C-alpha cells in the first residue's frame, strides 16, 4: 500500500483551497471527491442559450458579504472580479394570494458582493492550480480506521464500484460534521463527545431549494424593479436578481419555501412552472419569456444533507472545535469544512477560515516530523 503524506476528503471550497495551499507548501497530498465535479455546495449551471461559456448561474451560494475579507483576498489572488449585487429599483412584497403584490420603493437590503461570472468560476480557477495526479473525482470515502499511527481510508469509485484502501499519516476532512458522521465511521476512531458533536451540528443551507430562470434582458430593471421580492404566497419566499455579471447573463433566483420531502412529492417540471407563474405575478408578463430554468433541491443531495438536516429547522452551525484540540491532535486529524470554523461557520468565508486553521496545524505537524 502506497502511504500518502496527507489525504484530503471532500472537494468543495474548503478541500480545494486546502489542496491549493498544500501545492504551494510542497506538501504531498491526494484529494478524494465523491461527486464527478468539484465545488460541493458551490454548484452552477452554464446558461445553455448563451454563447458565453464563462458565465455560470449559482444554484448554491450567491453572496460574498462585505466583511468576508478572506474570500475577497482569494478572489483577487485567483484574478477573479467581484461586482455588487444588483439592488437598484423597487422591491416587491406579496402578503396574501387575494391581495395584489405591493411595490416598495427604497426597500433594498445591504450591498453584497458577487463573483463575476458566478462562484463556480472560483472552483474552476482553484482546480486549474492543482496537479491532476493529486486528485480523484467520483471517489467516495466510505470508511476510516486508525491503526497505530496510520489512517486506513477506504475509497469507493462511484462509477465502477471498485474499492481501494489508501494509507496516510495525516487526514484532512473538508466536509460538514454530519457527513463525517454518516460516511466516515467515527465509531472506529472518535470519542463519544466528538461523535455526538458531529451529529449535533447542522449543515448550513442543507435543506434549501433554489430556482433560477435566465433571460436575454433584465426586463425587471427596465420596469424600475430591483428583481428583489418577498412572498408569503410562494412557492418562492425570497427572490433576487441573479445575473452572472452586472450587464450579462441576466437571471432571477428564488429560495423555494418547501421542505425537501414536499419537493419530492411534486414533479420538478410542475414546480418550475409554478415558479415561472410566480415571477409573472411579481414582475410582469415578460417573466414567462425565460431562456432556461434550473432547480436544485440541496436537501435531496446525499453528499450535502442527512436525515437530520431534512427533519430539523435551519440553524447556524457552532462546533466549538477547540474543545476537541487534544483529541484531534493525537489522531493527526484536521477538520477543514466550513461548519468547523470559529468565525462565519457555514459560510464561504468559514470554509477558508476553517481550512486556514487546519492547514496551520498540519504545517506544524509535518514540519516538526521532517526535522
Ligand atoms: C443554497 C445555498 C446557498 C448558500 N448561500 C451562501 C451565500 O450566499 N454566501 C455564503 O457565504 N455561503 C452560502 N452558502 C454556504 C456555502 O455554500 C458553504 O459555506 C460552502 O460552500 C462550504 O464549503 P465546504 O467545502 O466547507 O463544504 P461543501 O461545499 O459541502 O463540500 C464538501 C465536499 O465533500 C464531498 N463529500 C461528501 N461526502 C464525501 C465522501 N464520503 N467522500 C468524498 N467526498 C465527499 C461533497 O461532495 C462536497 O464536494 C450557501 C449554501 C447553499 C446550499
Amino acid at each position: 500500500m502506497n502511504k500518502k503524506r496527507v489525504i484530503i476528503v471532500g472537494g468543495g471550497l474548503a478541500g480545494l483551497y486546502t489542496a491549493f495551499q498544500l501545492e504551494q507548501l510542497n506538501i504531498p497530498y491526494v484529494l478524494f471527491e465523491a461527486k464527478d465535479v468539484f465545488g460541493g455546495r458551490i454548484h452552477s449551471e452554464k446558461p445553455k442559450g448563451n454563447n458565453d461559456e464563462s458565465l455560470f448561474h449559482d444554484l448554491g451560494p450567491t453572496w460574498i458579504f462585505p466583511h468576508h475579507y478572506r474570500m475577497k483576498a482569494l478572489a483577487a489572488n485567483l484574478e477573479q472580479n467581484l461586482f455588487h449585487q444588483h439592488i437598484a429599483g423597487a422591491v416587491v412584497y406579496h402578503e396574501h394570494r387575494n391581495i395584489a403584490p405591493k411595490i416598495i420603493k427604497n426597500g433594498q437590503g445591504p450591498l453584497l458582493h458577487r463573483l463575476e461570472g458566478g462562484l463556480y468560476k472560483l472552483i474552476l480557477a482553484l482546480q486549474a492550480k492543482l496537479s491532476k495526479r493529486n486528485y480523484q473525482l467520483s471517489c467516495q470515502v466510505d470508511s476510516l480506521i486508525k491503526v497505530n499511527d496510520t489512517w486506513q481510508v477506504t475509497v469507493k469509485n462511484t462509477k465502477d464500484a471498485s474499492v481501494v484502501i489508501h494509507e496516510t499519516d495525516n487526514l484532512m476532512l473538508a466536509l460538514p460534521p454530519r457527513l463525517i458522521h454518516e460516511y466516515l465511521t467515527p465509531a472506529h476512531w472518535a470519542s463519544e463527545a466528538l461523535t455526538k458533536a458531529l451529529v449535533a451540528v447542522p449543515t448550513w443551507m442543507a435543506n434549501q431549494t433554489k430556482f433560477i430562470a435566465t433571460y436575454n434582458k433584465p426586463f425587471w430593471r427596465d420596469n424600475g424593479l430591483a428583481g428583489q421580492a418577498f412572498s408569503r404566497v410562494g412557492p418562492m419566499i425570497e427572490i433576487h436578481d441573479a445575473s452572472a455579471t452586472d450587464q450579462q447573463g441576466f437571471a432571477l433566483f428564488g429560495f423555494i419555501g418547501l421542505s425537501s420531502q414536499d419537493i419530492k412529492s411534486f414533479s420538478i417540471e410542475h414546480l418550475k412552472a409554478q415558479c415561472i407563474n410566480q415571477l409573472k405575478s411579481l414582475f410582469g408578463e415578460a417573466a414567462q419569456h425565460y431562456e432556461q430554468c434550473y432547480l436544485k433541491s440541496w436537501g435531496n443531495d446525499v453528499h450535502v444533507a442527512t436525515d437530520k438536516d431534512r427533519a430539523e429547522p435551519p440553524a447556524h452551525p457552532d462546533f466549538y472545535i477547540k474543545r476537541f484540540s487534544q483529541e484531534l491532535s493525537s489522531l493527526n486529524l484536521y477538520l477543514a469544512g466550513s461548519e468547523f470554523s470559529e468565525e462565519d461557520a457555514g459560510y464561504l468565508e468559514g470554509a477558508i477560515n476553517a481550512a486556514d486553521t487546519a492547514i496551520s496545524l498540519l504545517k506544524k505537524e509535518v514540519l516538526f516530523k521532517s526535522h
Side-chain angles (χ1 to χ4, degrees):
M1 224 175 286
N2 179 8
K3 198 171 186 186
K4 314 280 185 315
R5 197 68 180 278
V6 181
I7 285 182
I8 304 172
V9 183
L13 178 62
L16 286 181
Y17 172 80
T18 302
F20 174 40
Q21 299 304 313
L22 297 194
E23 296 257 349
Q24 290 180 320
L25 292 162
N26 262 327
I27 298 178
Y29 73 91
V30 61
L31 183 157
F32 296 112
E33 163 55 45
K35 292 185 177 175
D36 60 3
V37 285
F38 283 128
R41 276 170 277 175
I42 299 182
H43 175 79
S44 304
E45 297 286 349
K46 272 187 205 169
K48 290 180 195 131
N50 191 321
N51 290 334
D52 191 342
E53 299 243 314
S54 65
L55 300 177
F56 296 91
H57 288 112
D58 294 313
L59 283 157
T62 310
W63 297 300
I64 296 170
F65 291 78
H67 68 287
H68 285 178
Y69 66 90
R70 294 179 185 86
M71 275 298 290
K72 290 183 188 172
L74 178 64
N77 185 1
L78 295 170
E79 296 175 346
Q80 302 296 313
N81 297 325
L82 300 182
F83 69 104
H84 284 133
Q85 168 70 33
H86 180 87
I87 54 167
V91 175
V92 182
Y93 180 61
H94 199 183
E95 167 81 33
H96 192 276
R97 65 178 67 256
N98 297 333
I99 304 171
K102 282 190 193 128
I103 307 283
I104 301 169
K105 291 201 170 130
N106 305 318
Q108 301 87 348
L111 202 55
L112 303 173
H113 301 282
R114 306 263 316 279
L115 196 97
E116 217 167 70
L119 270 164
Y120 191 64
K121 282 188 73 186
L122 198 70
I123 295 300
L124 291 179
L126 278 170
Q127 183 175 353
K129 297 280 182 194
L130 310 184
S131 157
K132 282 192 178 142
R133 63 170 192 279
N134 288 342
Y135 61 76
Q136 294 181 27
L137 290 162
S138 306
C139 278
Q140 177 176 298
V141 176
D142 268 351
S143 112
L144 298 178
I145 300 178
K146 186 96 207 245
V147 182
N148 301 321
D149 283 341
T150 300
W151 282 103
Q152 291 188 345
V153 180
T154 304
V155 180
K156 185 177 82 193
N157 185 309
T158 56
K159 293 206 162 135
D160 61 14
S162 60
V163 171
V164 178
I165 298 176
H166 297 265
E167 289 192 343
T168 186
D169 296 324
N170 299 290
L171 195 56
M172 179 75 75
L173 304 184
L175 63 173
R178 282 186 177 162
L179 292 188
I180 295 179
H181 186 264
E182 184 109 337
Y183 290 97
L184 304 184
T185 56
H188 292 313
W189 47 267
S191 66
E192 201 181 323
L194 178 55
T195 307
K196 269 192 185 159
L198 290 172
V199 192
V201 175
T203 305
W204 183 232
M205 304 296 272
N207 205 16
Q208 294 290 336
T209 299
K210 212 167 149 176
F211 171 82
I212 294 183
T214 68
Y215 293 94
N216 65 2
K217 57 180 186 181
F219 63 90
W220 56 96
R221 295 185 192 174
D222 300 341
N223 297 335
L225 299 174
Q228 203 173 29
F230 297 90
S231 172
R232 290 170 155 244
V233 177
M236 291 179 284
I237 51 174
E238 189 183 322
I239 295 163
H240 300 270
D241 184 311
S243 305
T245 76
D246 201 32
Q247 293 302 328
Q248 277 176 297
F250 300 108
L252 292 168
F253 93 78
F255 289 113
I256 295 180
L258 294 169
S259 73
S260 46
Q261 278 311 103
D262 290 340
I263 301 270
K264 266 188 172 169
S265 66
F266 288 103
S267 96
I268 293 298
E269 290 316 309
H270 172 72
L271 201 50
K272 283 179 175 175
Q274 279 194 318
C275 290
I276 293 294
N277 275 338
Q278 185 184 8
L279 292 179
K280 262 165 59 184
S281 81
L282 297 171
F283 299 117
E285 286 294 315
Q288 72 187 311
H289 303 302
Y290 62 94
E291 289 179 324
Q292 302 291 329
C293 67
Y294 313 95
L295 188 145
K296 168 88 179 155
S297 161
W298 288 96
N300 291 317
D301 184 329
V302 295
H303 292 112
V304 173
T306 65
D307 285 345
K308 246 176 151 8
D309 292 308
R310 285 182 276 273
E312 288 175 358
H316 281 281
D318 217 341
F319 195 82
Y320 300 121
I321 194 167
K322 282 216 169 92
R323 67 193 152 138
F324 298 113
S325 297
Q326 262 196 336
E327 179 174 352
L328 296 172
S329 159
S330 68
L331 286 167
N332 283 2
L333 182 66
Y334 309 88
L335 301 177
S338 178
E339 277 68 21
F340 295 104
S341 176
E342 290 186 288
E343 284 169 29
D344 300 298
Y347 290 90
L348 299 165
E349 183 77 354
I352 305 300
N353 188 37
D356 270 337
T357 307
I359 294 161
S360 67
L361 293 168
L362 174 77
K363 246 165 60 184
K364 276 188 206 152
E365 172 66 25
V366 170
L367 296 178
F368 175 73
K369 285 249 167 91
S370 58
H371 285 108

